[in-house]
Structure formats: C-alpha cells, structure tokens
Amino acid sequence: MARILVQTQDFDTGAELARMTAGRRDVGGIGCFVGTVRDTAAGRKIAALNLEHYPAMTERALARIVEAAERRWTLLDCTVIHRVGRLEPGANIVLVLAASAHRQAALEATAFLIDWLKTKAPFWKKEEFLAGGEAWVAARESDEAAAARW
Amino acid sequence: MTDTLRLTVLYFAWLRERAGIAEERVEVPAGVATVAALVTWLAARSPGHASAFADPGVVRCAVNQEFADPGSPLRSGDEVAFFPPVTGG
C-alpha cells in the first residue's frame, strides 16, 4: 500500500522511515532518496525554485510509476512525497522510499522510482536567480537516458 | 451527433505564460479530431497562443490526465493539457 503525497509543506524523512517499519518485521531493507534544492544552476546562484504541477494528473502519474516498480521488484512498501511551491536552497523537494525483504530490490526500486518520476510525472521547476530574473528549467537528455535504462 | 467538440484546454509552465491563460473552454470543428490538429487550431487563436506553440516538437500533451501523442484522438468533453517536458524530482 504505497503512500503518495504532493504537498507544499516539508516532510520528515525519519518519521517516514519509522512509519514504514512500524508494526512489521518482514522488511529487510529500505532504499531512500531525498532530493534537495541546490544553490547553483549552471554557475548561477539560485534564490529559490518554484515547483508547479498538474494537480488532477500528478498523483495518478505517481501511482502508475509505483505500480511499474511493484511489477519489477518484490516490494513491501513505497513512499513518494513531492513538494510544490516556492522552495529555497537546502529545502527538501522529493522523498522516495522503497522497502523490500532484501537490499537489492530496495535500492534498485528507489533508483527506478526517482528516474521515472523525473521524466513521467507532471512537475515543472522555475529557477529564481539571486541576481534577479527567472527561468524555467529545461528537461535534460541525461534524465531521459536514466529513465530509459530501466 | 454534434459537429463541434467542446474541450477544456489547460496550459502549464511556460506554455501558460506565453498563452497568457491557464485554462480555457473551446468549441472546435469536428475536423479538429486529434491533438496535432488542435495545436494548429489553438495556435491561430492569438499571438500568445502562436508563441506557446511556436515549436510543437517541445510541447507535451495529456488527454484526460494521461500522456498523449500528436495523433491521439479527441472527443467532446475531453480535458487536454499542454506543457513542456517535465522537470520534477
């Protein structure tokens, strides 16, 4: 039963990890990825990222990605939390957790989930530069390649 | 049978900024039966729309919240969203 959330508020990675193992003893490992706001983009200092999404589509798209992971690996639980709105450097953007009986499935599924999320979930980032001005982030071919390797 | 399609069109990220609108309801001729045909029809609506669709190759689309292709068919009542390649995570 995956936990999928899109929210403006921060998430507590420790609390999410604890929630995943609460009341169960079959989990052998949890893969964890936390995406955070970097303070530079192509050499320019960032004041903030503004994250926009397509509310009617986002959670469904994330659920599809989780289902794809569940078909490829034997997972006991998954958590995907993605923040939207204005986020300053250092802030959390995204949390991906995948729990399995064994580490390989947990780690691979975590990498798969973040790779697919980056190319198949309707989020868009706009950079707000410290020196003024702003620009939409362009999609990267390396992200497409990372998603395609699965 | 109706000879027009009523569609809800949504724009996200820089397509919204260029089109100057986030959402609009349009009634298009029945001949506008695919995503690609809708793009051509919308691009003629205003200079902003023309700017949003100036390079159709970089525009992505969803029909009823599912990713769609230029050839995807449209039906009356559909929600059609246009946006740049996604950049989440």
Side-chain angles (χ1 to χ4, degrees):
Chain A
M1 196 58 185
R3 175 169 159 84
I4 295 169
L5 298 169
V6 179
Q7 61 189 37
T8 54
Q9 70 266 33
D10 198 7
F11 50 79
D12 180 337
T13 302
E16 295 298 333
L17 282 164
R19 182 188 179 99
M20 196 158 255
T21 51
R24 65 190 306 170
R25 296 172 170 218
D26 52 350
V27 174
I30 301 174
C32 173
F33 176 82
V34 182
T36 56
V37 181
R38 213 178 20 248
D39 66 355
T40 52
R44 299 179 72 178
K45 287 284 179 191
I46 293 291
L49 281 182
N50 283 283
L51 269 128
E52 173 178 333
H53 73 129
Y54 178 4
M57 180 174 174
T58 315
E59 290 193 15
R60 188 193 299 189
L62 293 175
R64 289 277 168 79
I65 294 166
V66 167
E67 285 162 18
E70 288 170 341
R71 283 195 298 274
R72 285 169 162 79
W73 294 277
T74 303
L75 301 178
L76 297 169
D77 201 1
C78 274
T79 295
V80 178
I81 303 178
H82 205 300
R83 296 181 70 193
V84 292
R86 187 176 187 277
L87 302 173
E88 296 185 349
N92 291 326
I93 305 175
V94 61
L95 173 68
V96 173
L97 302 178
S100 185
H102 300 285
R103 75 179 182 284
Q104 188 178 0
L107 290 170
E108 288 182 4
T110 301
F112 168 88
L113 285 163
I114 189 61
D115 283 348
W116 270 36
L117 185 155
K118 277 184 165 285
T119 57
K120 298 180 199 304
F123 294 96
W124 301 276
K125 290 190 188 111
K126 191 179 206 179
E127 291 161 345
E128 199 182 301
F129 299 111
L130 209 54
E134 50 186 29
W136 289 99
V137 174
R140 294 174 0 167
E141 281 180 23
S142 58
D143 286 338
E144 284 291 341
R149 75 196 162 107
W150 302 105
Chain B
M1 270 310 275
T2 171
D3 57 357
T4 62
L5 303 181
R6 290 165 191 273
L7 306 170
T8 301
V9 182
L10 308 180
Y11 303 94
F12 292 96
W14 55 257
L15 271 98
R16 180 191 67 251
E17 293 178 346
R18 291 191 189 177
I21 190 169
E23 175 173 352
E24 60 186 336
R25 287 187 169 71
V26 297
E27 197 167 333
V28 304
V32 180
T34 63
V35 167
L38 178 63
V39 167
T40 303
W41 189 87
L42 289 168
R45 266 170 89 74
S46 77
H49 286 80
S51 166
F53 291 111
D55 183 0
V58 299
V59 175
R60 300 292 180 267
C61 178
V63 176
N64 299 326
Q65 301 93 41
E66 301 283 353
F67 286 106
D69 299 316
S72 297
L74 298 176
R75 292 187 184 80
S76 204
D78 282 349
E79 177 176 290
V80 186
F82 292 103
F83 42 80
V86 303
T87 55

